[in-house]
Amino acid sequence: MSVALKSWSVNEGPKHLIMVVWVAVNVFLFWRSFMLYFSGSQYYYLHQMLGLGLCISRASASVLNLNCSLVLLPMCRLLLSFLRGSQRVTSRRVRRLLDKSKTFHVACGVTICVFSVVHVCAHLVNMVSFSVRYSEDFPALNVAQYRGQDPRVLIISTVPGVTGVLLVLVLFLMFTASSYSIRVSNYEIFWYTHNLFIVFYIILMVHVVGGALKYQSNVEAHPPGCMHSNLSSGSRTNHRAAGEKGEELLGGPQMVCQEEARFQPHFPQTWLWVSAPLCLYCAERLYRFIRSSAAPVTIVSVVSHPCDVIELRMLKRGFKPRPGQYILLNCPSVSSFENHPFTLTTCPTGTNETFGIHLRVLGDWTSSFSLLLLQQSNSSEILPMMQQRRYPTVHVDGPFGSPSEEVFNYEVSVCVAGGIGVTPFACVLQALFDDWRQYKLRRMYFIWVCRDLQSFYWFADLLCALHERLWRDNRPDYLNVQLYLSNTQGLQSIGEERYRFLSSRLRIGRPKWSLLFQEIGRANQIKRVGVFCCGPKGISKALHTLCNSNTHSGTAFEYNKESFS
Amino acid sequence: MGKIEWAMWANEQALAAGLIYATGGIVGVAGQFRGWQFAAFGIAAGVFVCLLEYPRSKRAKGTSVERTGQYCFTACVKAFGPLTRNYYIRAFLHAALCVPGGFMLATVLGSVCLAIASLIYLSAAIHGEHWEPILPRTEPPKRVGESIKEPPQNPPPRPPPELRRKKVDNLETAAYDNPMSVTSNE
């Protein structure tokens, strides 16, 4: 039981800690703003006029400030890749938190939507209060021009009103296009509407300039609730609202106002919150755009593999990715604005400067791209550079980090791949083939589940070559390969002689994860094992549960998941 | 850019717009704003739009992701037949429902959002899309090992009994000698 608690706290602890801290900061900001407007003396008259709507709207605005600034930070991919790569600066626990950056972005986004609803509702009530409780005593405080003015006119005629409506519409468009089903089916709608964020932020900066809510700037000279000596009539006009239950001094001495109350609009605090992350994100996008269009990418070879997979080898000067990273590919001949992520399957080494990806032809972009590539090359030979066939131009953005980079930082790693999800691990295997001695990794369990037997041929050569190399270097237990064919009908054996290593490790049927974990736990007692999964949701969920609940042999399993959309 | 299914996006928008409409209506009625009758209509219209839009349509190409618990709503919406299948009707219905919301402060935003959703539905209808219910799969999945429930009807073909009798002096065939006779005529 104690090991399960240790596993759980290693796997889930830091994530939940960050969540608790974030919620606490939000609650603190909400409470602080609320109390400021509820009982602050410089807002006394405004609070009298507007009531609770003022406090709720301002408190939700401060939560929105925080979340609008935080929501951009997880999307600064280059910055995160840099943090991931600087292994001396950050510890592994922090790097594992970087895997969850997209979840954090979604959490901040949902918070923005929820609190926008609260903010809008509170301001609707404020509009009505401005209109109904028009104040003759303090005309500077009013937003309405006369008592009983239609609140809808107030919305249209003030800057915060108009910009507020526009902000809600932009947020509506962005939020409705971000659901999981739309991202899976029509990614373009999500991408183009989400890029409206810049419009959102610009309108947000204008929204806070309006100056509708004012604070009293001379509280010392004119304490709120003081008596105003009215010279003409001789009677004292008391600034306290009629019917207010004064906890103030009923019998005590009333203060005399030395001067009229003066009101001033706020400095727009949102600018301080939002400008730094916005500038950082825009600078990063600009840098990525310049870097990807400046250095040209030449396609060296195109190889067609079974099961609709195409291997593409490219060359780009000054491109230094690490194993496990991914790139964004853009092909202007297919579509000018779409960027598609592909994990690198081969990194440049000293001997071979090319890098490669394996792309599976599944959607419309990949189909058009593969047609453009394959019509140029009917065979799979590699031509020398002089006689380049005319391939389409591509732009490569990246490289960006992913959880699979951590495989080398554990002593024992378990890599589970489903179908085309094998690509990050293929790059890892390639790096091990080049030089396995330089890494901390001592043992790797490689489990590959496929639906179709032909898929194993994508990397059959690499696996056999690595196995042979490790045997020659006298490390036969370094690599443990298990191949599973989940489709029980059809062809079920790898016949070729040179792939005998693979055919003897091929099993028919789905793997039993609990047995596998028991076996790995017994063979690696009192060690920390890194589990890496890149595959369908069913597999990753099963593995996640097992990592958290394992109670055998003192082994702690740390779960790392690669996420695709 | 491939073929975009506008109806999916319009569906998400209409669902969110219905919620905004209903929320604005609740604020209007609770605060007793001027024209709160429009707000009450807004609540009813918002709830109706949410119920109509909750079941997702089946995609023309690819796997459809259902919303949790949408089957009972699918059955209700399917019962109206061509009224709910056609997106032109939905577009005009949303456009009609959003008009009263514009007369009241709290429901203005909801009606604008519903108007946008109605425009996207119009675009979907022009592209020729229609609503298809997602029904649960009726055929049972193939059971593994079903073939072993049907044993072969005929015995395998065997040579005549003279050849079947074992010759003990021959060393090779003696290896296949059965310890007890398995045929009746030996």
Side-chain angles (χ1 to χ4, degrees):
Chain A
M1 204 54 211
S2 62
V3 178
L5 194 64
K6 185 169 105 175
S7 293
W8 187 90
S9 69
V10 160
N11 280 320
E12 314 290 326
K15 205 169 57 172
H16 289 168
L17 182 68
I18 296 284
M19 173 77 88
V20 164
V21 165
W22 173 71
V23 168
V25 170
N26 277 313
V27 166
F28 166 72
L29 278 177
F30 190 92
W31 185 246
R32 191 181 73 157
S33 281
F34 189 89
M35 290 319 288
L36 177 66
Y37 282 86
F38 193 71
S39 48
S41 54
Q42 69 268 43
Y43 297 111
Y44 182 79
Y45 297 117
L46 196 60
H47 182 63
Q48 254 182 36
M49 192 154 86
L50 298 179
L52 209 56
L54 170 73
C55 310
I56 293 184
S57 65
R58 296 308 303 160
S60 56
S62 58
V63 169
L64 281 174
N65 277 339
L66 174 71
N67 284 297
C68 282
S69 67
L70 283 182
V71 81
L72 285 172
L73 294 177
M75 291 292 121
C76 298
R77 290 215 183 111
L78 281 184
L79 183 64
L80 295 183
S81 307
F82 171 73
L83 282 177
R84 214 189 267 277
S86 56
Q87 299 197 352
R88 253 166 275 152
V89 174
T90 50
S91 73
R92 186 162 71 200
R93 206 169 292 168
V94 174
R95 280 201 300 274
R96 285 184 74 232
L97 279 177
L98 295 177
D99 298 347
K100 289 286 160 195
S101 51
K102 197 176 72 118
T103 316
F104 186 66
H105 175 85
V106 168
C108 287
V110 169
T111 313
I112 290 178
C113 289
V114 166
F115 278 91
S116 297
V117 171
V118 171
H119 184 80
V120 167
C121 292
H123 270 314
L124 287 176
V125 172
N126 285 345
M127 290 289 174
V128 173
S129 304
F130 268 130
S131 155
V132 163
R133 292 201 219 153
Y134 180 86
S135 161
E136 277 95 10
D137 291 336
F138 304 108
L141 211 48
N142 288 311
V143 171
Q145 274 129 12
Y146 52 86
R147 183 177 288 265
Q149 188 181 25
D150 192 353
R152 281 172 294 174
V153 174
L154 285 179
I155 293 184
I156 298 177
S157 59
T158 52
V159 167
V162 169
T163 49
V165 169
L166 288 176
L167 281 175
V168 169
L169 291 181
V170 171
L171 193 62
F172 173 70
L173 286 176
M174 280 170 69
F175 184 67
T176 50
S178 327
S179 71
Y180 175 70
S181 59
I182 299 233
R183 271 182 284 140
V184 162
S185 56
N186 296 319
Y187 195 79
E188 300 95 27
I189 294 182
F190 164 68
W191 179 245
Y192 293 132
T193 45
H194 237 63
N195 276 314
L196 288 174
F197 77 95
I198 191 70
V199 173
F200 180 83
Y201 276 97
I202 293 178
I203 302 183
L204 181 66
M205 304 281 215
V206 179
H207 177 73
V208 298
V209 174
L213 296 175
K214 304 187 181 71
Y215 69 96
Q216 185 186 347
S217 51
N218 56 348
V219 178
E220 297 84 22
H222 176 117
C226 66
M227 304 289 288
H228 180 73
S229 51
N230 198 334
L231 301 167
S232 61
S233 68
S235 64
R236 300 275 168 103
T237 34
N238 194 323
H239 283 302
R240 278 184 293 172
E244 185 182 283
K245 293 186 195 96
E247 46 292 323
E248 296 112 49
L249 7 132
L250 274 178
Q254 300 277 340
M255 307 282 282
V256 179
C257 311
Q258 275 125 27
E259 50 186 51
E260 287 286 331
R262 279 201 292 268
F263 298 99
Q264 230 183 319
H266 286 116
F267 176 71
Q269 215 185 27
T270 309
W271 291 356
L272 297 175
W273 282 99
V274 159
S275 34
L278 189 65
C279 289
L280 185 66
Y281 183 74
C282 290
E284 186 189 297
R285 282 283 283 263
L286 194 64
Y287 175 67
R288 270 168 51 188
F289 176 71
I290 292 179
R291 193 172 69 163
S292 74
S293 11
V297 175
T298 35
I299 298 184
V300 172
S301 72
V302 175
V303 178
S304 172
H305 287 279
C307 299
D308 295 328
V309 162
I310 296 181
E311 179 183 352
L312 193 63
R313 288 287 186 116
M314 294 170 277
L315 196 62
K316 180 173 172 177
R317 206 162 39 110
F319 186 67
K320 299 215 179 340
R322 293 187 296 269
Q325 291 187 318
Y326 69 96
I327 56 169
L328 289 175
L329 210 61
N330 172 290
C331 182
S333 335
V334 175
S335 161
S336 347
F337 293 114
E338 287 184 34
N339 291 313
H340 287 255
F342 294 104
T343 316
L344 291 167
T345 47
T346 327
C347 287
T349 57
T351 48
N352 189 354
E353 298 262 318
T354 59
F355 61 96
I357 59 168
H358 276 65
L359 65 96
R360 180 152 164 236
V361 177
L362 196 57
D364 50 343
W365 189 88
T366 37
S367 321
S368 325
F369 189 50
S370 65
L371 278 175
L372 277 178
L373 291 173
L374 291 177
Q375 78 193 28
Q376 302 286 340
S377 66
N378 292 322
S379 65
S380 59
E381 53 179 288
I382 302 176
L383 291 186
M385 298 289 246
M386 311 298 189
Q387 304 169 29
Q388 264 313 295
R389 291 196 181 99
R390 254 164 309 130
Y391 290 119
T393 43
V394 287
H395 295 292
V396 162
D397 193 4
F400 302 114
S402 77
S404 311
E405 288 180 58
E406 287 296 307
V407 174
F408 300 114
N409 296 330
Y410 287 93
E411 277 193 9
V412 181
S413 287
V414 178
C415 299
V416 177
I420 193 66
V422 75
T423 39
F425 307 128
C427 203
V428 166
L429 292 174
Q430 184 79 47
L432 287 177
F433 179 72
D434 289 326
D435 183 11
W436 56 268
R437 281 175 230 264
Q438 63 171 307
Y439 300 114
K440 185 179 162 191
L441 184 66
R442 298 277 186 78
R443 185 174 288 171
M444 180 168 159
Y445 292 86
F446 179 69
I447 291 124
W448 191 4
V449 185
C450 276
R451 210 175 290 173
D452 202 343
L453 188 73
Q454 302 289 326
S455 317
F456 292 123
Y457 288 96
W458 301 334
F459 296 108
D461 286 314
L462 174 62
L463 283 168
C464 294
L466 181 59
H467 166 76
E468 223 166 300
R469 160 106 197 243
L470 288 168
W471 266 88
R472 273 206 318 268
D473 292 345
N474 201 18
R475 288 296 296 269
D477 60 339
Y478 195 103
L479 180 68
N480 297 292
V481 173
Q482 293 181 20
L483 306 176
Y484 288 88
L485 188 63
S486 57
N487 183 11
T488 49
Q489 324 287 332
L491 186 62
Q492 290 180 2
S493 66
I494 301 177
E496 286 90 341
E497 180 59 34
R498 65 176 191 266
Y499 298 141
R500 209 155 44 130
F501 163 68
L502 295 180
S503 66
S504 54
R505 281 159 179 77
L506 178 66
R507 296 167 209 206
I508 313 297
R510 295 218 167 92
K512 293 193 174 55
W513 301 113
S514 46
L515 291 181
L516 190 72
F517 270 56
Q518 273 182 30
E519 176 195 326
I520 295 178
R522 263 188 237 127
N524 301 286
Q525 297 193 6
I526 323 198
K527 277 216 175 27
R528 180 156 289 195
V529 176
V531 177
F532 297 86
C533 174
C534 185
K537 266 200 199 157
I539 297 186
S540 71
K541 241 195 235 306
L543 289 175
H544 199 170
T545 328
L546 273 173
C547 285
N548 279 339
S549 66
N550 185 277
T551 54
H552 292 274
S553 326
T555 324
F557 287 91
E558 280 189 21
Y559 180 68
N560 301 281
K561 182 178 83 114
E562 184 95 21
S563 64
F564 271 144
S565 93
Chain B
M1 251 208 276
K3 196 161 145 25
I4 293 186
E5 286 189 43
W6 295 101
M8 275 199 85
W9 189 25
N11 172 272
E12 300 277 336
Q13 284 196 336
L15 190 64
L19 284 172
I20 298 177
Y21 212 9
T23 311
I26 291 175
V27 167
V29 167
Q32 288 289 307
F33 291 174
R34 205 165 46 196
W36 62 270
Q37 292 88 348
F38 288 109
F41 172 80
I43 300 180
V47 170
F48 171 70
V49 164
C50 283
L51 290 175
L52 175 65
E53 298 291 343
Y54 191 73
R56 277 210 186 102
S57 162
K58 193 153 136 176
R59 279 175 67 192
K61 193 175 62 160
T63 46
S64 323
V65 181
E66 279 198 339
R67 290 202 176 102
T68 34
Q70 90 168 29
Y71 181 60
C72 31
F73 296 98
T74 315
C76 299
V77 173
K78 195 168 69 116
F80 285 94
L83 275 181
T84 44
R85 241 175 83 93
N86 192 325
Y87 282 146
Y88 281 110
I89 298 183
R90 266 200 215 196
F92 290 130
L93 175 70
H94 289 327
L97 282 176
C98 77
V99 168
F103 292 110
M104 203 255 159
L105 170 71
T107 47
V108 162
L109 279 173
S111 79
V112 174
C113 294
L114 199 56
I116 296 179
S118 150
L119 281 174
I120 310 280
Y121 260 128
L122 193 63
S123 156
I126 294 174
H127 281 95
E129 302 174 21
H130 58 266
W131 189 81
E132 275 287 330
I134 301 181
L135 295 167
R137 264 202 330 206
T138 44
E139 91 275 8
K142 240 198 311 190
R143 274 184 289 271
V144 177
E146 210 166 29
S147 57
I148 60 175
K149 296 216 179 97
E150 294 175 2
Q153 311 297 19
N154 300 315
R158 292 197 177 114
E162 303 82 30
L163 295 175
R164 259 187 277 147
R165 202 155 299 145
K166 303 288 185 278
K167 296 178 182 53
V168 191
D169 46 346
N170 193 344
L171 211 63
E172 283 167 28
T173 52
Y176 303 105
D177 209 325
N178 293 323
M180 46 187 168
S181 73
V182 296
T183 53
S184 54
N185 51 3
E186 232 181 281

